[in-house]
Amino acid sequence: MNLESFEKVDYSSGVIRSYILTFLLVMRIIEELGSDKGLQIFQEAVEKQAEIIVEQVKKKMPKNLSLLDSGIEAYKIFMGDAGAKVQVVEKKEEYAVFAVRRCPFYEALLGVNVDCGHLQGEICSNLAIPSIEAILKRIDPRFKIEPRSIRRSSEDICLEKIYL
């Protein structure tokens, strides 16, 4: 396989399988240790992951961006590398809102039989969003991310807001 064909391959199925394994592991840890301890362990892993990949994300970012634009780029890189399709749908001076159209986190949650709705929103808020926010906070500790709306079906989209 040459480099050109390597870059055109869609890796989203493999990414989803990795997230399925991750979610199964987290669910088992929570089952074994309880939700407080399980989420504490997960948060420690999120922080370690952010330490490892923040420099990779920064290397992909254009230079001389405003602070908010740096956050936007970091979000797009992190989500894109994860296999998601995202688009800025609203941008103001102090925040940006993204539409998440294809989400490997969502597809992985379906893969471990977490149905759409409230439970999925809680899992996303406690698992996926902290991973993104940990990266953003390494760009500037004031960055925050919050879900504006959580996908309830495969036809829906998620809206996520990043701000300082």
Side-chain angles (χ1 to χ4, degrees):
M1 178 185 286
N2 66 29
L3 185 57
E4 269 185 33
S5 61
F6 179 77
E7 291 175 357
K8 293 179 184 177
V9 174
D10 181 7
Y11 293 100
S12 60
S13 294
V15 169
I16 291 166
R17 285 191 295 270
S18 294
Y19 289 127
I20 287 172
L21 178 60
T22 301
F23 289 144
L24 287 170
L25 176 62
V26 169
M27 291 165 62
R28 181 69 179 109
I29 288 170
I30 288 172
E31 183 180 295
E32 191 71 27
L33 302 176
S35 59
D36 290 344
K37 184 66 175 171
L39 290 175
Q40 175 193 345
I41 290 169
F42 181 77
Q43 186 59 43
E44 291 167 8
V46 160
E47 294 300 325
K48 185 66 174 172
Q49 176 197 35
E51 287 173 21
I52 292 168
I53 67 171
V54 70
E55 292 308 316
Q56 296 167 1
V57 170
K58 285 181 178 179
K59 285 179 186 174
K60 293 180 178 182
M61 292 171 51
K63 305 292 182 224
N64 301 318
L65 294 173
S66 71
L67 185 55
L68 181 62
D69 285 337
S70 293
I72 290 170
E73 281 302 309
Y75 178 93
K76 287 167 42 178
I77 291 166
F78 181 88
M79 292 295 284
D81 287 351
K85 298 280 186 201
V86 299
Q87 173 186 16
V88 176
V89 293
E90 182 180 0
K91 183 180 176 195
K92 302 288 185 187
E93 188 174 313
E94 62 280 353
Y95 69 88
V97 177
F98 290 88
V100 182
R101 300 194 187 284
R102 180 179 77 191
C103 182
F105 303 114
Y106 171 82
E107 293 177 36
L109 288 169
L110 292 179
V112 295
N113 298 319
V114 173
D115 200 3
C116 305
H118 178 73
L119 179 59
Q120 183 171 349
E122 288 298 314
I123 290 175
C124 185
S125 295
N126 287 302
L127 300 181
I129 289 178
S131 294
I132 301 164
E133 190 170 69
I135 298 295
L136 292 173
K137 286 191 171 294
R138 279 165 174 74
I139 292 168
D140 189 289
R142 295 173 290 172
F143 269 118
K144 302 263 188 230
I145 183 169
E146 66 183 38
R148 299 293 293 279
S149 68
I150 301 289
R151 175 183 312 235
R152 302 285 182 215
S153 73
S154 58
E155 295 81 30
D156 284 345
I157 61 171
C158 288
L159 295 174
E160 296 179 345
K161 176 182 174 182
I162 65 167
Y163 60 96
L164 294 164

